[in-house]
Amino acid sequence: MRIHQFAFAVLLAASCQQGKSKLDDVKGGSGHSVKPMGSGAAVAAGSAAPAQDINSKEILSRTTPVDEADVEWVLIAWKDLDATTYHGQIDKRAATRSNADAAQLALDTLAKLKADPTQINALVKTVSEQPGGGDTDPITLNKATTLPPEFKPLVDLALRLQPNEAGIVRTPLGYHVVERVPPAPPDPLESADIMARPAQPGTIMVQHVLIGWKDVSAAKHANVDPRATTRSKADADKLATEILTKARAGDDFKGLMKQYSEDPGSKDTGRPYEVTADAPLVEPFKKLSLRLKEGEVGLVRSPFGWHVIKRIPPPPPDPLESADVLARQPVTQKAKVKHILLGWAEVNSKDPRALKRSRADLDKLVKDTVAKLKAGAKIEDLMKQLSEDPGSAKTGESYDVTPDAQLVEPFKNLSLRLNVGEVGVVKTEFGFHIIKRVE
């Protein structure tokens, strides 16, 4: 399965304040990005002027969507979108195009695909204005795909297309001329025996080593590890197989990550990923992860390259975390919360206060802050004074939390278990979050 993710990566993905992970560049079924607290990433909905409605309504009205579809699309934008969505990054071809011209080009492209569906790769390369370039690798979209609401019509259309059928849908990026394509065959080196198992429920913790090569889709984009830009597929195959063998033989996996991995968000720290069935992570990575047994290692290919993935046991709860609250079943499916983010020298959002703070100092600060809140202090005042979340500290901004919200899993888990007015503490890759449910 190959994927076509970078329109979302360029315009939607929020970059972690620590090292940005390759896996944080992708949304939903194609993968994701967990939204760092207060990143403020957003997409404007719609253009400055009313756009022509050329959506494929007949297809969108179908009542029997499939569970999953591999699609490719041609993206066509127009000049009004530069101010609302692209912010100076719009394709030069679209920069002078009117909406009427874009609509006509989209209809002409659709007509070509209806006449010959095999043209999709050529049209992606020559017509599409996908930010970052025209990747011809399909993207897998499914019912669990997590994208901002403005992009839901794209998933709706994809899951209603017949094989080799094409249609049009508009999003804040422009018109997407979408074709459902046959799924690509698996790479012979992939762990087919593991992938054939049923997915496991719940949350799976994994680490991975990423190995890219010069012709993989991600190698065409910025921030790629220099080692990948000159490596051939054959060399990548050999290296990934060697790493897989070492990992299965018991070599220290964090050591392998540090030595070989090209994922900047995890290679130096050994950062694990929490994987669930609806996690916004690149789909092949997610599929293999959910089928691994604890301690088992497997190999899968994605648009980023080879992933050597090891399932690890879940970490024990931190003594500062609100274990009693986290042990509950969720008490709501929608919570409005405010939080104070506090880090220390080892885990932080690079706030200068956290970089100088010891873990002992952090423990005392968290306990003191929780005590103040429970005694009636206003969380907004403490956010402004203490919080290291740049997106909410000064403003007292709240977060709307739902099970599919694009927020880190521990933050969601605690928020949905808090009663109104209750305060709890949870640890994430950014530090400790002191969370109060406020609605």
Side-chain angles (χ1 to χ4, degrees):
M1 197 166 5
R2 318 291 175 248
I3 307 177
H4 193 349
Q5 76 283 12
F6 289 95
F8 301 118
V10 172
L11 294 171
L12 303 179
S15 63
C16 168
Q17 302 253 344
Q18 301 165 316
K20 186 178 180 186
S21 166
K22 292 275 190 182
L23 292 176
D24 287 337
D25 275 340
V26 195
K27 295 275 187 181
S30 58
H32 201 68
S33 149
V34 179
K35 179 184 177 185
M37 299 295 104
S39 66
V43 175
S47 60
Q52 290 189 28
D53 183 1
I54 57 171
N55 284 0
S56 298
K57 296 181 182 64
E58 180 183 350
I59 299 173
L60 287 164
S61 67
R62 293 173 183 167
T63 57
T64 55
V66 296
D67 292 334
E68 183 174 279
D70 284 2
V71 295
E72 295 184 43
W73 62 69
V74 176
L75 175 63
I76 298 167
W78 57 95
K79 58 185 178 182
D80 293 337
L81 297 180
D82 198 28
T84 60
T85 301
Y86 288 88
H87 306 294
Q89 299 181 51
I90 199 165
D91 189 281
K92 291 180 180 179
R93 293 168 291 181
T96 57
R97 183 187 295 137
S98 69
N99 172 252
D101 290 339
Q104 187 58 55
L105 180 56
L107 291 169
D108 292 344
T109 303
L110 178 63
K112 290 178 181 179
L113 289 174
K114 286 183 175 180
D116 181 5
T118 65
Q119 294 187 77
I120 183 63
N121 284 357
L123 290 169
V124 169
K125 290 179 180 178
T126 59
V127 179
S128 186
E129 294 153 8
Q130 193 89 335
D135 292 316
T136 58
D137 292 337
I139 181 171
T140 301
L141 297 177
N142 55 46
K143 292 180 177 180
T145 298
T146 304
L147 295 174
E150 299 94 333
F151 291 89
K152 185 176 182 297
L154 180 60
V155 179
D156 290 343
L157 179 67
L159 298 184
R160 285 162 176 80
L161 289 167
Q162 299 296 321
N164 297 314
E165 185 181 28
I168 296 176
V169 70
R170 180 168 64 92
T171 77
L173 293 173
Y175 294 119
H176 299 258
V177 186
V178 185
E179 180 176 307
R180 183 177 167 192
V181 298
D187 192 292
L189 290 183
E190 290 184 306
S191 299
D193 55 336
I194 301 175
M195 297 286 277
R197 301 171 186 166
Q200 300 175 63
T203 301
I204 305 298
M205 301 291 294
V206 299
Q207 294 170 309
H208 82 130
V209 176
L210 173 65
I211 301 296
W213 59 91
K214 60 185 177 181
D215 295 322
V216 78
S217 296
K220 305 169 188 174
H221 299 270
N223 302 318
V224 175
D225 191 291
R227 293 172 290 181
T229 60
T230 57
R231 185 184 294 128
S232 69
K233 170 66 163 54
D235 287 340
D237 289 356
K238 181 180 178 183
L239 181 57
T241 304
E242 290 174 356
I243 296 168
L244 178 68
T245 300
K246 290 180 178 181
R248 286 177 169 171
D251 282 24
D252 176 65
F253 202 79
K254 281 189 177 181
L256 294 174
M257 292 172 70
K258 193 171 186 66
Q259 181 177 357
Y260 296 108
S261 184
E262 295 158 11
D263 176 3
S266 68
K267 64 178 183 178
D268 293 325
T269 63
R271 169 189 171 185
Y273 289 91
E274 292 187 339
V275 186
T276 60
D278 59 352
L281 292 164
V282 63
E283 193 69 20
F285 181 95
K286 183 167 69 173
K287 285 191 171 182
L288 178 60
S289 298
L290 293 175
R291 289 158 175 82
L292 288 169
K293 300 173 183 177
E294 198 167 292
E296 191 175 27
V297 186
L299 183 65
V300 73
R301 176 180 167 176
S302 87
F304 299 112
W306 284 115
H307 302 266
V308 182
I309 305 175
K310 181 176 182 177
R311 180 177 172 185
I312 61 174
D318 191 283
L320 279 182
E321 291 187 294
S322 300
D324 55 337
V325 180
L326 290 167
R328 300 173 187 164
Q329 292 298 312
V331 298
T332 181
Q333 293 297 297
K334 185 175 183 180
K336 187 179 289 292
V337 302
K338 296 187 179 184
H339 81 124
I340 298 166
L341 174 62
L342 298 171
W344 72 104
E346 295 177 7
V347 180
N348 58 73
S349 60
K350 296 192 176 178
D351 186 287
R353 295 169 292 182
L355 293 171
K356 299 175 183 178
R357 188 180 292 137
S358 69
R359 175 59 200 253
D361 290 338
L362 181 278
D363 287 9
K364 183 177 186 303
L365 181 57
V366 169
K367 291 174 183 177
D368 289 348
T369 305
V370 171
K372 289 177 182 179
L373 288 170
K374 290 183 176 180
K378 291 185 177 180
I379 190 168
E380 295 83 2
D381 294 340
L382 291 172
M383 289 170 70
K384 191 171 184 178
Q385 177 187 347
L386 299 173
S387 184
E388 294 152 13
D389 172 7
S392 69
K394 293 182 180 180
T395 64
E397 175 188 355
S398 62
Y399 288 89
D400 291 320
V401 184
T402 60
D404 59 353
Q406 295 173 41
L407 299 164
V408 286
E409 286 297 317
F411 187 96
K412 288 195 297 184
N413 289 342
L414 179 64
S415 297
L416 296 176
R417 287 162 172 79
L418 289 170
N419 295 309
V420 176
E422 191 174 21
V423 176
V425 179
V426 73
K427 182 183 176 182
T428 75
E429 64 202 70
F430 305 106
F432 281 93
H433 304 261
I434 303 171
I435 304 174
K436 181 176 182 177
R437 186 174 166 195
V438 297
E439 89 277 19

